[in-house]
Amino acid sequence: MNPLLQGAATILIGVGLCIAYFYFSNLILDKVIFPARGKNPGRNINRANAVRPWLFMGPAIFALGLYLAYPVVGSFIRSLYNRSGDQFIGFGNYTNLFASQGFQTAFFNNVLWIIFVPAASTFIGLVAAQLTDRLRWGSVAKSLIFMPMAISFVGASLIWKFVYANDPDIGIINAVRDSFGLAPVDVLQIPFWNNFFLMVILVWIQTGFAMVILSAALRGIPEETIEAAIIDGAGPFQLFFRIMVPQIMGTIVVVWTTITVLVLKVFDIVYTMTGGNFGTDILPSYMMTFMFRDDGRATAVAFVIMVVVLPVMWWNIRQARKEMR
Amino acid sequence: MDNIVGKKSGLTWAVNITVLLLVILWLIPTVGLLVSSFRDRDQISESGWWRAPFPVELTARGRTSAEAAADGDVFVVTGNIYDDPEAQSFFPSGGGDVVAFGTRGVNPTEFEAGATADLGDGESLTVNGDGTYRWVTPEDPGDRGQRVYFAAESPPQFTTANYEQVLTADNMDRAFINTLTVSIPATVIPILIAAFAAYALAWMEFPGRGLLIAAVVGLLVVPLQIGLVPLLRLHQNIGIGQSFLGIWLAHTGYGLPLAVYLLRNYMVGLPKDIIESARVDGATDFQVFMRIILPLSFPALAAFAIFQFLWTWNDLLVAKVFLPSDDYSKVMTVKIADDLLGSRGGDWGILATAAFVSIAVPLVVFFAMQKYLVRGLLAGSVK
């Protein structure tokens, strides 16, 4: 069957099933299990209302549990077994990993990514937000800086290949070098610094996200504080760094952590630009070298990523609970 | 804000210029891709895309005609090098001025145009800027003309040939349809499931609600790598295997935390009076949800739909794991990353075009729906 037709059929069946499930489960609850008549109509209504939330959330809880919660446990257990999965080896996969040169490189690079990408994106985004807010054509500028958000990591990598290419007739960097009479270099092969050339791609994508959110936060700052600072003689830089930034610190942290979590998911850029060669591997791409070949090690790498994310998760939950009170 | 003292400082110009530079810096890479995708393939390798509007100097070769006219004791051949089919083939849309010429492949630009090259033994060749030549040789050339190499300006050429090739020859059409097939159901299915759950979390009182909300927030940041191995195994065990159904389910699962979180945040902010008066009038929760909550939540639903669509369209990882790796099920990102970059790594025109085809749809969605996207982002992170 044509996949597009299959897709259309799935949408119809999926949506139909969903609505039917919610409609009939409610109907059965109200009319059959706890009908609002007979001996105890009041008690029945209360009971029905106690069950109903779980009907509404049922499919979501099932899907979340199966696709996100179960794999955390499943992956951990699998990571304790060997390559073929039939022999329990305890933390063997982990000790192997920590001893291997490839993992150490990937881990070190990933730390660089976690520091550099959120910091650079947030900082440039903050500056861009503040500057564009003052311009008449600011919204156009914003939407152009925001645009890379829509581009896939693979597409972005290809776009940047036209910047980094070795041939001075393709790559801009080498064209500039060429015009100064310098020999072309393959920036993706410069040890250590090549990591940063890859990070630039993700910064390019994420700056718009940071800018949009921070610009909304900047606009939410009460004007009185700014006016008071101006009357007290604060210059534009003082105003920005000492009055405005401290007031939106909460939002800056949200943006920062959101980008940090994203950094730990992105394997596409490294995969398409260097394939993890020249010492540019990061954990997500390192994991893919084991995927389909050694599930034990792949899940062990995945679990290391999970552990790295844990502090962010803990902090997010704490914030959410604070807000609800 | 404009009349606040000090707001209009002398920095205005600096701000304008800085933002302009920033925007240009941000646009350059994408513009390069777009320009390259429309350029002729020979021109891409001869000059950078930033010189696309200018003529390119191409090196070509041809052969003079052999119709010699005897002039005293020498033979003279005259004509125009552009009349030679071989030379023409280098310049599909007509050649420009000849800059230099030569007779040896190792040094095709040995002589300037208009100069007379002494080929030894009384033989000489002149090629002028307009392509006309005069070849003087002491022997009758017979049926073989003189080999001529020359460099000429080729006018800038823009073509859609790259697009034709990408969309017809490279199976990209198939990949395009596959991407569409993956992303649309993977966008639609989670919305309903999440909307019902978000309603319950926002407007129903029950024990454990706070815990569930915290769990959703926690699941938001679970890296999806953790699910790949166990879920693929699960899919294989229950007979789904690597298939479109499998990837729809996977995307649904991965998209749900954001959907529930965004929608709940939005629904909580809806006016309480409407919902309570509807309940007083005897509406059931199901009716309240379908008739009131769902229509009012349209902006949040749209925001999530855009996110999920962009995410599923642009995804490489989930597609690599949950879809079969045969050529008929590849989505565009996999096709580009695995096939084109490998086999056509040096064919920049094709690469640029393929990339542009794959980012065109998200860009259209992005610019058309930007308002909702921004609103959704803000609902998720600014309090």
Side-chain angles (χ1 to χ4, degrees), chain B residues 260-319:
Chain B
V260 175
Y261 178 69
L262 271 184
L263 293 176
R264 190 203 89 94
N265 272 0
Y266 190 86
M267 287 178 187
V268 160
L270 293 176
K272 205 171 179 178
D273 324 359
I274 304 182
I275 294 156
E276 279 181 354
S277 51
R279 279 188 182 152
V280 169
D281 288 346
T284 64
D285 272 314
F286 187 77
Q287 284 169 325
V288 171
F289 175 78
M290 292 301 279
R291 303 252 174 90
I292 299 176
I293 299 284
L294 220 45
L296 283 181
S297 304
F298 178 75
L301 295 173
F304 170 73
I306 301 165
F307 271 125
Q308 182 75 354
F309 180 77
L310 292 180
W311 170 250
T312 50
W313 184 282
N314 289 338
D315 161 78
L316 171 68
L317 182 58
V318 178

Side-chain angles (χ1 to χ4, degrees), chain B residues 67-137:
Chain B
E67 287 169 28
D71 179 12
D73 53 354
V74 293
F75 296 88
V76 176
V77 182
T78 56
N80 192 315
I81 193 68
Y82 283 124
D83 293 339
D84 180 46
E86 192 185 0
Q88 273 171 13
S89 68
F90 286 89
F91 303 96
S93 56
D97 283 352
V98 174
V99 180
F101 70 97
T103 53
R104 293 178 301 157
V106 289
N107 195 356
T109 54
E110 198 173 353
F111 309 103
E112 266 179 59
T116 301
D118 183 3
L119 306 181
D121 297 335
E123 201 178 338
S124 71
L125 174 69
T126 309
V127 179
N128 295 311
D130 57 0
T132 55
Y133 57 81
R134 181 186 156 84
W135 174 37
V136 180
T137 172

